[in-house]
Amino acid sequence: MGVFAQTMHQAGYVGEMSGRWHAFLRNHDRQEVSLREMLGLRQRKTTVIAVGGNSVDGAEMETADNIVKFRAPVVTHGNGPQVGKVSLANPEWSLARCVEQTQYEIGATLTRELQAAASRAGRTIEVLVVPTRVIVDPKDPAFSNPTKGIGLFYSEDEMRAMGPLEEKGDGWHYLSSKDWHIKKVGNPKDESKPWRRVVGSPKPLAIHPEDLQAIKDGIAAGKTVIACGGGGVSGYFKEGKFVEIDSVIDKDFASALLAMELRAREMIISTGVKRVAHNFGKPNQVDIAYYVAGDAVEGILDGQYKVGQMKEKVEAGVNAVRDGVNVVVITEPGANWLSMVQDPISAEGTLITRGPDPKGRLRGIGKQLGNLAEAITGSRLIFPDRLQRWQVTGQK
């Protein structure tokens, strides 16, 4: 219990407080708690933390120690290697079912790591795993051009030993014996095995409303929530029912969408490098410490980031800040994530913001004035979204 919580307890107030007060007091010696949040005058703002494969396989302790510093965060994770292994072990399962299974398995692993990290810090936390469904467009062009790698890597001999291959163009082949699409994607760990199974990776459109509510309930109860594992189980509504569809959604895009729907204060994307860089791996490499959304978009359009490595992370960060998230941090598990969002000037990683309004206050004021004008006049006359974007990014 922090000093503030101890003082309140000794004063006799804690016993009369609601569960919400207890949650705020219990976490006071970690992330900041605003007075308005404590008094229930403003909704609790969460942090969405997207962890990659290295964060759950090799850097578990550093990742967990960072996560438990935040108040009731929402943790998302990838599942590229794991979902492929589950599919191999259960060939009769649909890919959607395999994704759901990895949500339970990786969620259980992360729960153990987070509770151990909290114990090291002298705290206890409650962890809630929410298997998440994500709505996609069944006509998304990604289904006809599979690019998302899952499972093991193969050499050309191993791939051909599995059965006859049918070339489909654009560098990928169809393996009829397993109903797989396979593509030469490259393997930095073993150049002799560059081939991998690829699946469609549609853009996420919305979090299933039932699952989104479960996530919000967990945040309100002061729990650390694990959600959108592997990007979520993809599907669409047909005649009022959710129909699963085989694909793997990029976990960074799903995380950005979740951050927007939760109105998160900040988003952390954990990856294998300290900072985003231009000319990565070349003698003229330049690390980026601070990125305005418009400049980040230029980097994407200039082809600075490889698909499947950094491109999706930067694009997800831009999407998040342009839709209300104050700041997105892209960095490695060994950095101090909380320090970066509280003191951006000394950031160890890359920060993406809207520009001269990193706290989102101008945007918030503009929206409030717009809402007021709409309530009075019936039409939005002041600070439309286009003008707000111009104010904070300089982009029309």
Side-chain angles (χ1 to χ4, degrees), residues 369-389:
L369 289 173
N371 291 337
L372 178 61
E374 187 172 19
I376 295 173
T377 67
S379 60
R380 183 172 290 271
L381 300 176
I382 304 174
F383 291 103
D385 283 346
R386 183 180 299 176
L387 180 56
Q388 291 180 45
R389 283 198 298 273

Side-chain angles (χ1 to χ4, degrees), residues 21-349:
W21 279 77
H22 278 293
F24 284 129
L25 294 178
R26 185 168 62 245
N27 295 306
H28 182 75
D29 52 355
R30 288 185 280 168
Q31 197 175 19
E32 294 176 355
V33 182
S34 74
L35 181 60
R36 284 183 291 172
E37 285 181 326
M38 189 178 299
L39 294 174
L41 301 177
R42 186 173 72 178
Q43 184 180 7
R44 178 200 300 265
K45 294 287 187 178
T46 191
T47 301
V48 171
I49 301 174
V51 297
N54 64 311
S55 291
V56 295
D57 184 15
E60 301 92 336
M61 184 176 293
E62 293 172 321
T63 299
D65 286 342
N66 262 312
I67 291 172
V68 297
K69 295 177 183 178
F70 290 84
R71 294 186 298 109
V74 176
V75 182
T76 67
H77 60 81
N79 69 348
Q82 295 88 346
V83 74
K85 293 177 182 177
V86 171
S87 180
L88 281 173
N90 303 276
E92 73 283 3
W93 285 10
S94 68
L95 185 56
R97 184 177 178 185
C98 293
V99 171
E100 183 179 10
Q101 181 65 23
T102 63
Q103 291 189 342
Y104 288 108
E105 293 179 357
I106 300 175
T109 300
L110 284 172
T111 296
R112 290 192 295 271
E113 293 292 339
L114 291 171
Q115 290 175 337
S119 179
R120 288 193 294 271
R123 306 186 183 100
T124 59
I125 61 171
E126 291 184 71
V127 181
L128 173 66
V129 179
V130 179
T132 312
R133 294 161 291 180
V134 177
I135 299 166
V136 301
D137 182 353
K139 296 181 180 179
D140 191 303
F143 288 110
S144 58
N145 181 30
T147 58
K148 185 70 172 179
I150 64 170
L152 304 175
F153 289 87
Y154 300 94
S155 66
E156 186 167 346
D157 290 340
E158 289 172 331
M159 182 185 66
R160 295 188 180 279
M162 287 188 276
L165 295 171
E166 181 182 349
E167 189 171 348
K168 289 291 186 179
D170 199 24
W172 57 274
H173 301 71
Y174 179 65
L175 180 64
S176 57
S177 63
K178 291 184 175 291
D179 192 24
W180 284 4
H181 295 96
I182 296 182
K183 191 172 185 178
K184 190 175 183 179
V185 297
N187 182 357
K189 294 183 179 180
D190 186 351
E191 294 182 357
S192 68
K193 295 185 175 184
W195 296 87
R196 198 179 191 192
R197 181 187 177 187
V198 291
V199 298
S201 184
K203 292 292 179 67
L205 302 179
I207 309 299
H208 192 292
E210 293 177 1
D211 302 336
L212 182 62
Q213 188 57 54
I215 295 167
K216 290 180 177 179
D217 290 345
I219 296 169
K223 297 178 181 179
T224 295
V225 181
I226 300 173
C228 277
V233 175
S234 57
Y236 59 96
F237 279 104
K238 183 178 181 180
E239 298 178 354
K241 294 183 178 180
F242 184 78
V243 180
E244 294 179 349
I245 187 168
D246 282 351
S247 69
V248 174
I249 300 170
D250 183 87
K251 73 102 173 39
D252 295 314
F253 287 150
S255 301
L257 172 66
L258 181 60
M260 290 182 273
E261 294 208 19
L262 293 174
R263 302 179 67 184
R265 179 182 284 118
E266 55 264 327
M267 176 177 166
I268 312 290
I269 300 177
S270 176
T271 186
V273 294
K274 186 174 183 179
R275 282 179 173 161
V276 176
H278 282 193
N279 308 313
F280 181 74
K282 299 178 181 179
N284 60 337
Q285 175 176 321
V286 178
D287 290 350
I288 308 296
Y290 182 85
Y291 233 169
V292 175
D295 294 337
V297 170
E298 289 184 11
I300 294 171
L301 296 177
D302 289 343
Q304 287 289 344
Y305 313 115
K306 290 185 178 180
V307 174
Q309 296 183 18
M310 189 59 71
K311 179 178 181 292
E312 292 83 359
K313 301 181 191 305
V314 175
E315 188 175 343
V318 171
N319 292 342
V321 298
R322 283 189 164 175
D323 280 279
V325 177
N326 289 348
V327 62
V328 173
V329 175
I330 302 177
T331 193
E332 61 188 356
N336 188 329
W337 301 348
L338 181 60
S339 173
M340 277 186 272
V341 298
Q342 291 185 337
D343 184 16
I345 295 177
S346 61
E348 302 172 61

